[in-house]
Amino acid sequence: KAWFEVYNRYRLSEGEYLNVYDLGFDFPEGHVIRKDERLYFAFYNGTLEDPARSYKGLITLRGLEEKTYQVRDYIHHQKIAEVSGPATEILVDFKGYLLLEAKPLT
């Protein structure tokens, strides 16, 4: 039920998938969708054997414009960082997956 609520609230399937991460090279696995002026990032570190495997380290947020963004974990409602584009690295610590929203600051 919770994931249907997330889907209905953000409707990311209506956004534009940005092909800025390489599934065979980038770690952890990353994806980004642009919807309106916001970017939605998904990072995955789990495997079939260990779906909640931990990851602690740097991730690169790609696809940003030359703006300042407020980045938050939109599942756990936590502020993560304030960053500037076009690409930036942030230190994260998560298990299995991390879902982020980057909202431009005006």
Side-chain angles (χ1 to χ4, degrees), residues 79-94:
K79 180 180 173 183
I80 301 294
E82 191 171 295
V83 302
S84 295
T88 190
E89 290 183 324
I90 59 173
L91 183 62
V92 297
D93 185 358
F94 67 92

Side-chain angles (χ1 to χ4, degrees), residues 1-8 75:
K1 179 180 174 183
W3 290 114
F4 285 114
E5 290 173 6
V6 170
Y7 174 82
N8 288 327
I75 298 300

